[in-house]
Amino acid sequence: QVQLVESGGGLVQAGGSLRLSCAASGRIFSINAMGWYRQAPGRQRDLVAAITSGGNTNYPDSVKGRFTISRDNTKNTVYLQMNSLKPEDTAVYYCNAVVQETSWGINYNYWGQGTQVTVSS
């Protein structure tokens, strides 16, 4: 079993910055893709940023140029630096990781518990 623990959410004014962290622990042979998703009330969960084990990144247009995803493979941790935050960025942010638990095993998809980000106008 693998656990993802997020931290760094909170309340910030528009134009401000926050940095989210997500640490994976447990039975881990390797972590493939890692990412951040967000879900606002009454809306679906959407991708915010993704990063492969090799460091390739992907962002939707809504956050491109403002958000930066990075990872530290030695710590099994992924980060999301969020700059120039807008009220529409308000949501619960979830960490995601695709984990191979053993050298012979298949990949499993894990989620963190979520962290609230609120941007005031």
Side-chain angles (χ1 to χ4, degrees):
Q1 192 71 356
V2 174
Q3 296 80 39
L4 301 180
V5 178
E6 299 137 337
S7 60
L11 173 64
V12 65
Q13 288 188 333
S17 298
L18 282 175
R19 188 187 192 218
L20 305 183
S21 300
C22 172
S25 62
R27 192 179 188 187
I28 298 171
F29 173 75
S30 67
I31 301 179
N32 298 308
M34 301 185 81
W36 291 93
Y37 290 72
R38 67 186 179 189
Q39 188 167 21
R43 303 193 65 175
Q44 67 180 19
R45 189 174 296 186
D46 291 325
L47 174 70
V48 174
I51 186 168
T52 67
S53 58
N56 294 317
T57 59
N58 181 43
Y59 305 93
D61 289 343
S62 58
V63 306
K64 198 171 292 182
R66 299 189 298 122
F67 291 8
T68 302
I69 189 171
S70 60
R71 62 190 283 176
D72 184 338
N73 292 330
T74 66
K75 297 180 179 179
N76 291 332
T77 299
V78 64
Y79 306 95
L80 184 67
Q81 178 67 43
M82 303 184 292
N83 298 328
S84 303
L85 283 161
K86 305 175 181 180
E88 51 263 44
D89 294 319
T90 296
V92 177
Y93 283 68
Y94 296 92
C95 174
N96 174 265
V98 179
V99 179
Q100 186 176 352
E101 296 183 4
T102 61
S103 61
W104 60 89
I106 63 174
N107 291 324
Y108 288 95
N109 199 32
Y110 288 97
W111 292 93
Q113 79 284 358
T115 185
Q116 178 71 45
V117 171
T118 302
V119 184
S120 64
S121 57

PDB file of all heavy atoms in Angstrom, residues 21-51:
ATOM      1  N   SER A  21       3.141  20.509  -1.634  1.00  0.00           N
ATOM      2  CA  SER A  21       4.044  19.358  -1.627  1.00  0.00           C
ATOM      3  C   SER A  21       3.229  18.092  -1.439  1.00  0.00           C
ATOM      4  O   SER A  21       2.176  18.109  -0.807  1.00  0.00           O
ATOM      5  CB  SER A  21       5.058  19.463  -0.486  1.00  0.00           C
ATOM      6  OG  SER A  21       5.855  20.614  -0.601  1.00  0.00           O
ATOM      7  N   CYS A  22       3.740  17.007  -1.979  1.00  0.00           N
ATOM      8  CA  CYS A  22       3.086  15.707  -1.826  1.00  0.00           C
ATOM      9  C   CYS A  22       4.166  14.644  -1.723  1.00  0.00           C
ATOM     10  O   CYS A  22       4.931  14.441  -2.674  1.00  0.00           O
ATOM     11  CB  CYS A  22       2.169  15.428  -2.999  1.00  0.00           C
ATOM     12  SG  CYS A  22       1.494  13.756  -3.026  1.00  0.00           S
ATOM     13  N   ALA A  23       4.205  13.976  -0.577  1.00  0.00           N
ATOM     14  CA  ALA A  23       5.205  12.941  -0.338  1.00  0.00           C
ATOM     15  C   ALA A  23       4.557  11.564  -0.375  1.00  0.00           C
ATOM     16  O   ALA A  23       3.540  11.338   0.295  1.00  0.00           O
ATOM     17  CB  ALA A  23       5.882  13.167   1.008  1.00  0.00           C
ATOM     18  N   ALA A  24       5.149  10.676  -1.128  1.00  0.00           N
ATOM     19  CA  ALA A  24       4.668   9.296  -1.228  1.00  0.00           C
ATOM     20  C   ALA A  24       5.495   8.406  -0.320  1.00  0.00           C
ATOM     21  O   ALA A  24       6.722   8.549  -0.238  1.00  0.00           O
ATOM     22  CB  ALA A  24       4.756   8.809  -2.662  1.00  0.00           C
ATOM     23  N   SER A  25       4.815   7.480   0.353  1.00  0.00           N
ATOM     24  CA  SER A  25       5.512   6.532   1.220  1.00  0.00           C
ATOM     25  C   SER A  25       4.806   5.190   1.171  1.00  0.00           C
ATOM     26  O   SER A  25       3.661   5.090   0.743  1.00  0.00           O
ATOM     27  CB  SER A  25       5.553   7.049   2.656  1.00  0.00           C
ATOM     28  OG  SER A  25       4.252   7.182   3.177  1.00  0.00           O
ATOM     29  N   GLY A  26       5.520   4.157   1.628  1.00  0.00           N
ATOM     30  CA  GLY A  26       4.935   2.823   1.623  1.00  0.00           C
ATOM     31  C   GLY A  26       5.717   1.899   0.707  1.00  0.00           C
ATOM     32  O   GLY A  26       6.917   2.042   0.531  1.00  0.00           O
ATOM     33  N   ARG A  27       5.001   0.963   0.125  1.00  0.00           N
ATOM     34  CA  ARG A  27       5.622  -0.046  -0.728  1.00  0.00           C
ATOM     35  C   ARG A  27       5.816   0.534  -2.126  1.00  0.00           C
ATOM     36  O   ARG A  27       4.908   0.546  -2.942  1.00  0.00           O
ATOM     37  CB  ARG A  27       4.744  -1.299  -0.775  1.00  0.00           C
ATOM     38  CG  ARG A  27       5.434  -2.503  -1.392  1.00  0.00           C
ATOM     39  CD  ARG A  27       4.518  -3.710  -1.376  1.00  0.00           C
ATOM     40  NE  ARG A  27       5.204  -4.923  -1.776  1.00  0.00           N
ATOM     41  CZ  ARG A  27       4.613  -6.088  -1.983  1.00  0.00           C
ATOM     42  NH1 ARG A  27       3.311  -6.193  -1.824  1.00  0.00           N
ATOM     43  NH2 ARG A  27       5.316  -7.132  -2.343  1.00  0.00           N
ATOM     44  N   ILE A  28       7.021   1.014  -2.404  1.00  0.00           N
ATOM     45  CA  ILE A  28       7.299   1.683  -3.665  1.00  0.00           C
ATOM     46  C   ILE A  28       8.539   1.093  -4.313  1.00  0.00           C
ATOM     47  O   ILE A  28       9.622   1.137  -3.731  1.00  0.00           O
ATOM     48  CB  ILE A  28       7.503   3.196  -3.452  1.00  0.00           C
ATOM     49  CG1 ILE A  28       6.236   3.834  -2.878  1.00  0.00           C
ATOM     50  CG2 ILE A  28       7.880   3.873  -4.776  1.00  0.00           C
ATOM     51  CD1 ILE A  28       6.418   5.270  -2.437  1.00  0.00           C
ATOM     52  N   PHE A  29       8.371   0.555  -5.511  1.00  0.00           N
ATOM     53  CA  PHE A  29       9.531   0.151  -6.308  1.00  0.00           C
ATOM     54  C   PHE A  29       9.947   1.311  -7.214  1.00  0.00           C
ATOM     55  O   PHE A  29      11.121   1.642  -7.316  1.00  0.00           O
ATOM     56  CB  PHE A  29       9.217  -1.095  -7.139  1.00  0.00           C
ATOM     57  CG  PHE A  29      10.315  -1.471  -8.098  1.00  0.00           C
ATOM     58  CD1 PHE A  29      11.475  -2.060  -7.646  1.00  0.00           C
ATOM     59  CD2 PHE A  29      10.192  -1.223  -9.464  1.00  0.00           C
ATOM     60  CE1 PHE A  29      12.507  -2.400  -8.512  1.00  0.00           C
ATOM     61  CE2 PHE A  29      11.204  -1.559 -10.342  1.00  0.00           C
ATOM     62  CZ  PHE A  29      12.367  -2.145  -9.868  1.00  0.00           C
ATOM     63  N   SER A  30       8.952   1.913  -7.853  1.00  0.00           N
ATOM     64  CA  SER A  30       9.207   3.089  -8.668  1.00  0.00           C
ATOM     65  C   SER A  30       7.924   3.885  -8.808  1.00  0.00           C
ATOM     66  O   SER A  30       6.824   3.340  -8.692  1.00  0.00           O
ATOM     67  CB  SER A  30       9.743   2.718 -10.057  1.00  0.00           C
ATOM     68  OG  SER A  30       8.752   2.055 -10.807  1.00  0.00           O
ATOM     69  N   ILE A  31       8.084   5.173  -9.027  1.00  0.00           N
ATOM     70  CA  ILE A  31       6.941   6.054  -9.282  1.00  0.00           C
ATOM     71  C   ILE A  31       7.055   6.566 -10.698  1.00  0.00           C
ATOM     72  O   ILE A  31       8.068   7.152 -11.074  1.00  0.00           O
ATOM     73  CB  ILE A  31       6.885   7.214  -8.296  1.00  0.00           C
ATOM     74  CG1 ILE A  31       6.787   6.690  -6.865  1.00  0.00           C
ATOM     75  CG2 ILE A  31       5.674   8.101  -8.607  1.00  0.00           C
ATOM     76  CD1 ILE A  31       6.754   7.783  -5.809  1.00  0.00           C
ATOM     77  N   ASN A  32       6.054   6.340 -11.474  1.00  0.00           N
ATOM     78  CA  ASN A  32       6.047   6.797 -12.860  1.00  0.00           C
ATOM     79  C   ASN A  32       5.526   8.229 -12.902  1.00  0.00           C
ATOM     80  O   ASN A  32       6.126   9.125 -12.354  1.00  0.00           O
ATOM     81  CB  ASN A  32       5.269   5.812 -13.711  1.00  0.00           C
ATOM     82  CG  ASN A  32       5.937   4.444 -13.684  1.00  0.00           C
ATOM     83  OD1 ASN A  32       7.127   4.308 -13.941  1.00  0.00           O
ATOM     84  ND2 ASN A  32       5.180   3.415 -13.318  1.00  0.00           N
ATOM     85  N   ALA A  33       4.408   8.464 -13.503  1.00  0.00           N
ATOM     86  CA  ALA A  33       3.875   9.824 -13.565  1.00  0.00           C
ATOM     87  C   ALA A  33       3.368  10.284 -12.210  1.00  0.00           C
ATOM     88  O   ALA A  33       2.864   9.485 -11.409  1.00  0.00           O
ATOM     89  CB  ALA A  33       2.752   9.900 -14.585  1.00  0.00           C
ATOM     90  N   MET A  34       3.541  11.564 -11.940  1.00  0.00           N
ATOM     91  CA  MET A  34       2.953  12.200 -10.765  1.00  0.00           C
ATOM     92  C   MET A  34       2.232  13.448 -11.248  1.00  0.00           C
ATOM     93  O   MET A  34       2.596  14.030 -12.292  1.00  0.00           O
ATOM     94  CB  MET A  34       4.013  12.572  -9.728  1.00  0.00           C
ATOM     95  CG  MET A  34       4.823  11.388  -9.234  1.00  0.00           C
ATOM     96  SD  MET A  34       5.967  11.822  -7.909  1.00  0.00           S
ATOM     97  CE  MET A  34       4.860  11.803  -6.493  1.00  0.00           C
ATOM     98  N   GLY A  35       1.239  13.854 -10.498  1.00  0.00           N
ATOM     99  CA  GLY A  35       0.499  15.015 -10.961  1.00  0.00           C
ATOM    100  C   GLY A  35      -0.351  15.647  -9.888  1.00  0.00           C
ATOM    101  O   GLY A  35      -0.476  15.118  -8.779  1.00  0.00           O
ATOM    102  N   TRP A  36      -0.902  16.779 -10.241  1.00  0.00           N
ATOM    103  CA  TRP A  36      -1.836  17.507  -9.388  1.00  0.00           C
ATOM    104  C   TRP A  36      -3.135  17.724 -10.160  1.00  0.00           C
ATOM    105  O   TRP A  36      -3.116  18.081 -11.349  1.00  0.00           O
ATOM    106  CB  TRP A  36      -1.257  18.852  -8.981  1.00  0.00           C
ATOM    107  CG  TRP A  36      -0.104  18.754  -8.040  1.00  0.00           C
ATOM    108  CD1 TRP A  36       1.224  18.709  -8.370  1.00  0.00           C
ATOM    109  CD2 TRP A  36      -0.183  18.675  -6.621  1.00  0.00           C
ATOM    110  NE1 TRP A  36       1.978  18.603  -7.236  1.00  0.00           N
ATOM    111  CE2 TRP A  36       1.151  18.582  -6.143  1.00  0.00           C
ATOM    112  CE3 TRP A  36      -1.219  18.677  -5.701  1.00  0.00           C
ATOM    113  CZ2 TRP A  36       1.449  18.494  -4.788  1.00  0.00           C
ATOM    114  CZ3 TRP A  36      -0.916  18.596  -4.351  1.00  0.00           C
ATOM    115  CH2 TRP A  36       0.400  18.504  -3.902  1.00  0.00           C
ATOM    116  N   TYR A  37      -4.232  17.511  -9.463  1.00  0.00           N
ATOM    117  CA  TYR A  37      -5.559  17.753  -9.996  1.00  0.00           C
ATOM    118  C   TYR A  37      -6.270  18.689  -9.029  1.00  0.00           C
ATOM    119  O   TYR A  37      -5.869  18.831  -7.880  1.00  0.00           O
ATOM    120  CB  TYR A  37      -6.347  16.452 -10.122  1.00  0.00           C
ATOM    121  CG  TYR A  37      -5.852  15.520 -11.197  1.00  0.00           C
ATOM    122  CD1 TYR A  37      -4.650  14.825 -11.056  1.00  0.00           C
ATOM    123  CD2 TYR A  37      -6.587  15.320 -12.367  1.00  0.00           C
ATOM    124  CE1 TYR A  37      -4.193  13.970 -12.054  1.00  0.00           C
ATOM    125  CE2 TYR A  37      -6.145  14.467 -13.367  1.00  0.00           C
ATOM    126  CZ  TYR A  37      -4.952  13.796 -13.194  1.00  0.00           C
ATOM    127  OH  TYR A  37      -4.495  12.948 -14.178  1.00  0.00           O
ATOM    128  N   ARG A  38      -7.341  19.301  -9.493  1.00  0.00           N
ATOM    129  CA  ARG A  38      -8.140  20.148  -8.599  1.00  0.00           C
ATOM    130  C   ARG A  38      -9.617  19.956  -8.886  1.00  0.00           C
ATOM    131  O   ARG A  38     -10.014  19.620 -10.010  1.00  0.00           O
ATOM    132  CB  ARG A  38      -7.753  21.616  -8.719  1.00  0.00           C
ATOM    133  CG  ARG A  38      -8.072  22.266 -10.060  1.00  0.00           C
ATOM    134  CD  ARG A  38      -7.504  23.680 -10.097  1.00  0.00           C
ATOM    135  NE  ARG A  38      -7.763  24.355 -11.361  1.00  0.00           N
ATOM    136  CZ  ARG A  38      -7.242  25.519 -11.713  1.00  0.00           C
ATOM    137  NH1 ARG A  38      -6.403  26.157 -10.870  1.00  0.00           N
ATOM    138  NH2 ARG A  38      -7.539  26.070 -12.872  1.00  0.00           N
ATOM    139  N   GLN A  39     -10.394  20.187  -7.838  1.00  0.00           N
ATOM    140  CA  GLN A  39     -11.837  20.044  -7.948  1.00  0.00           C
ATOM    141  C   GLN A  39     -12.511  21.154  -7.163  1.00  0.00           C
ATOM    142  O   GLN A  39     -12.358  21.238  -5.937  1.00  0.00           O
ATOM    143  CB  GLN A  39     -12.294  18.675  -7.449  1.00  0.00           C
ATOM    144  CG  GLN A  39     -13.750  18.383  -7.700  1.00  0.00           C
ATOM    145  CD  GLN A  39     -14.087  16.922  -7.475  1.00  0.00           C
ATOM    146  OE1 GLN A  39     -13.363  16.206  -6.777  1.00  0.00           O
ATOM    147  NE2 GLN A  39     -15.168  16.471  -8.065  1.00  0.00           N
ATOM    148  N   ALA A  40     -13.253  21.979  -7.870  1.00  0.00           N
ATOM    149  CA  ALA A  40     -14.046  23.031  -7.242  1.00  0.00           C
ATOM    150  C   ALA A  40     -15.436  22.481  -6.970  1.00  0.00           C
ATOM    151  O   ALA A  40     -15.867  21.513  -7.626  1.00  0.00           O
ATOM    152  CB  ALA A  40     -14.120  24.248  -8.154  1.00  0.00           C
ATOM    153  N   PRO A  41     -16.185  23.079  -6.041  1.00  0.00           N
ATOM    154  CA  PRO A  41     -17.527  22.581  -5.712  1.00  0.00           C
ATOM    155  C   PRO A  41     -18.415  22.511  -6.947  1.00  0.00           C
ATOM    156  O   PRO A  41     -18.479  23.467  -7.732  1.00  0.00           O
ATOM    157  CB  PRO A  41     -18.044  23.611  -4.716  1.00  0.00           C
ATOM    158  CG  PRO A  41     -16.814  24.149  -4.070  1.00  0.00           C
ATOM    159  CD  PRO A  41     -15.782  24.180  -5.157  1.00  0.00           C
ATOM    160  N   GLY A  42     -19.060  21.356  -7.137  1.00  0.00           N
ATOM    161  CA  GLY A  42     -19.976  21.183  -8.246  1.00  0.00           C
ATOM    162  C   GLY A  42     -19.318  20.958  -9.591  1.00  0.00           C
ATOM    163  O   GLY A  42     -20.004  20.919 -10.618  1.00  0.00           O
ATOM    164  N   ARG A  43     -18.000  20.786  -9.591  1.00  0.00           N
ATOM    165  CA  ARG A  43     -17.296  20.610 -10.854  1.00  0.00           C
ATOM    166  C   ARG A  43     -16.509  19.307 -10.837  1.00  0.00           C
ATOM    167  O   ARG A  43     -16.282  18.700  -9.797  1.00  0.00           O
ATOM    168  CB  ARG A  43     -16.369  21.797 -11.106  1.00  0.00           C
ATOM    169  CG  ARG A  43     -17.099  23.130 -11.095  1.00  0.00           C
ATOM    170  CD  ARG A  43     -16.257  24.238 -11.649  1.00  0.00           C
ATOM    171  NE  ARG A  43     -15.967  24.045 -13.079  1.00  0.00           N
ATOM    172  CZ  ARG A  43     -15.336  24.928 -13.818  1.00  0.00           C
ATOM    173  NH1 ARG A  43     -14.903  26.055 -13.293  1.00  0.00           N
ATOM    174  NH2 ARG A  43     -15.105  24.679 -15.096  1.00  0.00           N
ATOM    175  N   GLN A  44     -16.085  18.872 -11.996  1.00  0.00           N
ATOM    176  CA  GLN A  44     -15.305  17.644 -12.097  1.00  0.00           C
ATOM    177  C   GLN A  44     -13.858  17.916 -11.682  1.00  0.00           C
ATOM    178  O   GLN A  44     -13.431  19.062 -11.613  1.00  0.00           O
ATOM    179  CB  GLN A  44     -15.338  17.111 -13.523  1.00  0.00           C
ATOM    180  CG  GLN A  44     -14.635  17.993 -14.554  1.00  0.00           C
ATOM    181  CD  GLN A  44     -14.706  17.425 -15.954  1.00  0.00           C
ATOM    182  OE1 GLN A  44     -15.540  16.576 -16.261  1.00  0.00           O
ATOM    183  NE2 GLN A  44     -13.819  17.864 -16.827  1.00  0.00           N
ATOM    184  N   ARG A  45     -13.149  16.823 -11.405  1.00  0.00           N
ATOM    185  CA  ARG A  45     -11.738  16.927 -11.062  1.00  0.00           C
ATOM    186  C   ARG A  45     -10.921  17.072 -12.355  1.00  0.00           C
ATOM    187  O   ARG A  45     -11.013  16.241 -13.253  1.00  0.00           O
ATOM    188  CB  ARG A  45     -11.298  15.690 -10.282  1.00  0.00           C
ATOM    189  CG  ARG A  45      -9.911  15.785  -9.698  1.00  0.00           C
ATOM    190  CD  ARG A  45      -9.592  14.590  -8.823  1.00  0.00           C
ATOM    191  NE  ARG A  45     -10.462  14.517  -7.656  1.00  0.00           N
ATOM    192  CZ  ARG A  45     -10.309  13.632  -6.668  1.00  0.00           C
ATOM    193  NH1 ARG A  45      -9.286  12.769  -6.722  1.00  0.00           N
ATOM    194  NH2 ARG A  45     -11.136  13.609  -5.651  1.00  0.00           N
ATOM    195  N   ASP A  46     -10.119  18.121 -12.417  1.00  0.00           N
ATOM    196  CA  ASP A  46      -9.364  18.428 -13.633  1.00  0.00           C
ATOM    197  C   ASP A  46      -7.862  18.382 -13.380  1.00  0.00           C
ATOM    198  O   ASP A  46      -7.396  18.722 -12.292  1.00  0.00           O
ATOM    199  CB  ASP A  46      -9.725  19.822 -14.155  1.00  0.00           C
ATOM    200  CG  ASP A  46     -11.139  19.905 -14.686  1.00  0.00           C
ATOM    201  OD1 ASP A  46     -11.610  18.916 -15.274  1.00  0.00           O
ATOM    202  OD2 ASP A  46     -11.766  20.969 -14.506  1.00  0.00           O
ATOM    203  N   LEU A  47      -7.129  18.015 -14.407  1.00  0.00           N
ATOM    204  CA  LEU A  47      -5.679  18.022 -14.334  1.00  0.00           C
ATOM    205  C   LEU A  47      -5.164  19.459 -14.224  1.00  0.00           C
ATOM    206  O   LEU A  47      -5.618  20.349 -14.954  1.00  0.00           O
ATOM    207  CB  LEU A  47      -5.087  17.363 -15.571  1.00  0.00           C
ATOM    208  CG  LEU A  47      -3.559  17.420 -15.696  1.00  0.00           C
ATOM    209  CD1 LEU A  47      -2.907  16.527 -14.661  1.00  0.00           C
ATOM    210  CD2 LEU A  47      -3.129  17.038 -17.098  1.00  0.00           C
ATOM    211  N   VAL A  48      -4.204  19.658 -13.328  1.00  0.00           N
ATOM    212  CA  VAL A  48      -3.539  20.944 -13.187  1.00  0.00           C
ATOM    213  C   VAL A  48      -2.120  20.878 -13.736  1.00  0.00           C
ATOM    214  O   VAL A  48      -1.654  21.804 -14.406  1.00  0.00           O
ATOM    215  CB  VAL A  48      -3.501  21.377 -11.702  1.00  0.00           C
ATOM    216  CG1 VAL A  48      -2.684  22.652 -11.534  1.00  0.00           C
ATOM    217  CG2 VAL A  48      -4.896  21.562 -11.163  1.00  0.00           C
ATOM    218  N   ALA A  49      -1.420  19.802 -13.435  1.00  0.00           N
ATOM    219  CA  ALA A  49      -0.047  19.647 -13.913  1.00  0.00           C
ATOM    220  C   ALA A  49       0.352  18.197 -13.761  1.00  0.00           C
ATOM    221  O   ALA A  49      -0.098  17.519 -12.834  1.00  0.00           O
ATOM    222  CB  ALA A  49       0.909  20.539 -13.128  1.00  0.00           C
ATOM    223  N   ALA A  50       1.214  17.725 -14.657  1.00  0.00           N
ATOM    224  CA  ALA A  50       1.698  16.359 -14.591  1.00  0.00           C
ATOM    225  C   ALA A  50       3.177  16.341 -14.948  1.00  0.00           C
ATOM    226  O   ALA A  50       3.651  17.196 -15.710  1.00  0.00           O
ATOM    227  CB  ALA A  50       0.918  15.453 -15.531  1.00  0.00           C
ATOM    228  N   ILE A  51       3.881  15.349 -14.391  1.00  0.00           N
ATOM    229  CA  ILE A  51       5.307  15.216 -14.660  1.00  0.00           C
ATOM    230  C   ILE A  51       5.664  13.737 -14.717  1.00  0.00           C
ATOM    231  O   ILE A  51       5.226  12.942 -13.890  1.00  0.00           O
ATOM    232  CB  ILE A  51       6.144  15.955 -13.591  1.00  0.00           C
ATOM    233  CG1 ILE A  51       7.639  15.939 -13.955  1.00  0.00           C
ATOM    234  CG2 ILE A  51       5.884  15.413 -12.193  1.00  0.00           C
ATOM    235  CD1 ILE A  51       8.466  16.894 -13.099  1.00  0.00           C
TER     236      ILE A  51
END
